[in-house]
Amino acid sequence: SLKMDLLHSNGVLIIQHLQRDYRAYQDFLNFMSHVGDPRNIFSIYFPLWFQLNQVVGTKMIWVAVIGDWFNLIFKWILFGHRPYWWVQETMLYPNQSSPCLEQFPITCETGPGSPSGHAMGSSCVWYVMVTAALSYTVRWKDKSAVTLHRLTWSFLWSVFWIIQISVCISRVFIATHFPHQVILGVFAGILVAEAFEHTPAIQTASLSMYMKTNLFLFAFALGFYLVLKLLDIDLLWSVPKAKKWCANPDWINIDTTPFAGLVRNLGALFGLGLGINSEMFFTSCKGKNSCKISFRVLCVAASLATLQLYNFVKIPTHTEYLFYVLSFCKSAAMPLTVVALVPYGVHSLMRTTEKKLN
């Protein structure tokens, strides 16, 4: 405990340094925190990659969901505090002289702090994207192409680490994580992504396999929660701390609670399985139009535009269980839209246009 207090106190010093000396970069750091938001995987990265490469897009969802699930379990095991409430409750500082840490609208996460979900989600999805991009260049054989591959390798991995470091600094800057929590998140995300580099079975998974995986993930998490609750260990201990020490009650969002993330991810995985195993997917994404660049560009544009509309759909938060049900449905609708609904609509539109021209 003493070692952890020392680690936390050193982390507080780093946060104070960042908030004092990097004030000019506040907008950029807040932006990078949004870049690392795991929800961007489903609304931005996945729609882009799925139409470019369905294998990569599918892997991206699996990595994001399983990675976030592991993040939840790790959070429940590690009981990591967040800086904005730890400084208020620790006995390390004498005479009530606790450091003053500034809070922001995105500071008041309600789940435990270790490992960082933003850092873990960002590292795992960017790892998938970088390795996918490099897989295209590794096939080049002539001498000049090998040199280009090496330059591309250096450039992409440099971009990867710049983004991860920026996301980590941003999460520390807003006082929602200690430095060791974001470092742990980055490397945990890389391990999850690397594991899926050697798991080709997800590309041929049936709808039954998706449903069984969903059921297992939900049952394990719920069972883990209930068993520890019977042992008088409250895994939701962080929620009242967040509500107590958040500078503005309006900044507390039910969407950041542990079960909200679990439901959101299970919905996304279910929607992907439903879409990939649908007749609309086989008709459009496996049909003759699927090889056309125009088809892919239209699918990407239409998917991104449609998914942005989902942001205007506000789920009521007054009833927690209703929120979870509607959150699951909304999350399932997003990959289903990208994989089946939009491609089928574009396919039908192109076929109608071709008939008129003929």
Side-chain angles (χ1 to χ4, degrees):
S1 177
L2 183 61
K3 288 183 179 179
M4 189 56 68
D5 281 343
L6 184 62
L7 193 62
H8 285 160
S9 62
N10 288 333
V12 168
L13 292 175
I14 293 173
I15 295 169
Q16 288 181 304
H17 168 69
L18 290 173
Q19 292 188 343
R20 181 182 65 249
D21 297 340
Y22 287 79
R23 175 65 54 196
Y25 304 100
Q26 176 180 329
D27 291 340
F28 171 74
L29 292 173
N30 284 333
F31 170 74
M32 289 309 299
S33 188
H34 285 294
V35 167
D37 192 330
R39 285 169 288 197
N40 289 332
I41 299 169
F42 308 115
S43 61
I44 298 175
Y45 304 138
F46 171 66
L48 285 170
W49 272 98
F50 188 80
Q51 300 305 334
L52 295 174
N53 189 316
Q54 292 171 9
V55 171
V56 177
T58 301
K59 186 193 301 181
M60 189 176 291
I61 293 290
W62 276 89
V63 165
V65 170
I66 301 299
D68 210 48
W69 183 83
F70 272 116
N71 182 262
L72 173 65
I73 301 301
F74 288 154
K75 282 180 185 292
W76 279 348
I77 292 173
L78 297 177
F79 284 82
H81 290 273
R82 293 186 185 271
Y84 76 92
W85 76 57
W86 180 83
V87 293
Q88 304 291 343
E89 298 192 341
T90 182
M91 304 299 293
L92 198 63
Y93 303 104
N95 303 322
Q96 304 297 318
S97 60
S98 58
C100 181
L101 299 182
E102 185 176 354
Q103 296 183 25
F104 303 86
I106 55 176
T107 294
C108 299
E109 299 270 351
T110 57
S114 187
S116 166
H118 279 65
M120 192 168 174
S122 175
S123 65
C124 72
V125 74
W126 278 93
Y127 187 93
V128 169
M129 290 193 288
V130 168
T131 53
L134 289 175
S135 67
Y136 289 104
T137 63
V138 77
R139 305 179 190 127
W140 299 340
K141 300 298 182 183
D142 58 272
K143 194 171 182 178
S144 60
V146 170
T147 303
L148 182 60
H149 168 71
R150 288 174 180 170
L151 289 172
T152 305
W153 187 94
S154 300
F155 172 74
L156 289 178
W157 283 117
S158 296
V159 169
F160 172 85
W161 283 111
I162 288 171
I163 290 173
Q164 303 322 309
I165 291 171
S166 299
V167 169
C168 288
I169 291 174
S170 73
R171 300 301 288 171
V172 174
F173 173 84
I174 64 174
T176 201
H177 284 295
F178 290 103
H180 69 277
Q181 296 173 342
V182 293
I183 293 171
L184 180 60
V186 168
F187 287 102
I190 291 173
L191 286 175
V192 171
E194 179 60 29
F196 275 88
E197 291 292 318
H198 312 285
T199 314
I202 59 174
Q203 302 299 333
T204 56
S206 63
L207 180 58
S208 173
M209 183 54 136
Y210 276 90
M211 295 180 71
K212 288 176 182 176
T213 302
N214 255 13
L215 184 60
F216 169 79
L217 296 178
F218 179 74
F220 187 97
L222 183 61
F224 189 70
Y225 170 79
L226 293 176
V227 167
L228 291 185
K229 190 172 183 180
L230 288 174
L231 298 174
D232 287 330
I233 300 174
D234 182 14
L235 293 180
L236 300 181
W237 60 273
S238 60
V239 177
K241 288 184 181 292
K243 291 179 177 179
K244 181 179 180 180
W245 296 114
C246 184
N248 186 338
D250 293 336
W251 294 347
I252 296 288
N253 193 336
I254 191 176
D255 201 30
T256 66
T257 58
F259 278 112
L262 175 66
V263 169
R264 183 171 59 246
N265 287 305
L266 295 182
L269 189 63
F270 176 72
L272 176 66
L274 200 61
I276 280 183
N277 291 280
S278 68
E279 189 63 35
M280 286 187 290
F281 170 76
F282 286 105
T283 302
S284 54
C285 293
K286 296 296 183 181
K288 63 177 183 178
N289 284 328
S290 62
C291 297
K292 296 179 181 178
I293 301 238
S294 57
F295 173 79
R296 296 188 178 188
V297 170
L298 284 171
C299 284
V300 168
S303 295
L304 288 173
T306 305
L307 292 186
Q308 298 317 304
L309 296 177
Y310 282 109
N311 293 330
F312 295 101
V313 179
K314 301 301 179 184
I315 300 176
T317 59
H318 58 275
T319 305
E320 192 170 357
Y321 293 112
L322 177 62
F323 171 82
Y324 290 146
V325 171
L326 295 179
S327 180
F328 179 90
C329 295
K330 180 180 176 181
S331 299
M334 295 176 74
L336 181 62
T337 298
V338 174
V339 170
L341 299 179
V342 165
Y344 186 77
V346 172
H347 168 78
S348 300
L349 181 64
M350 292 180 70
R351 187 174 60 182
T352 302
T353 304
E354 288 173 359
K355 285 181 178 178
K356 287 182 179 179
L357 291 175
N358 293 331

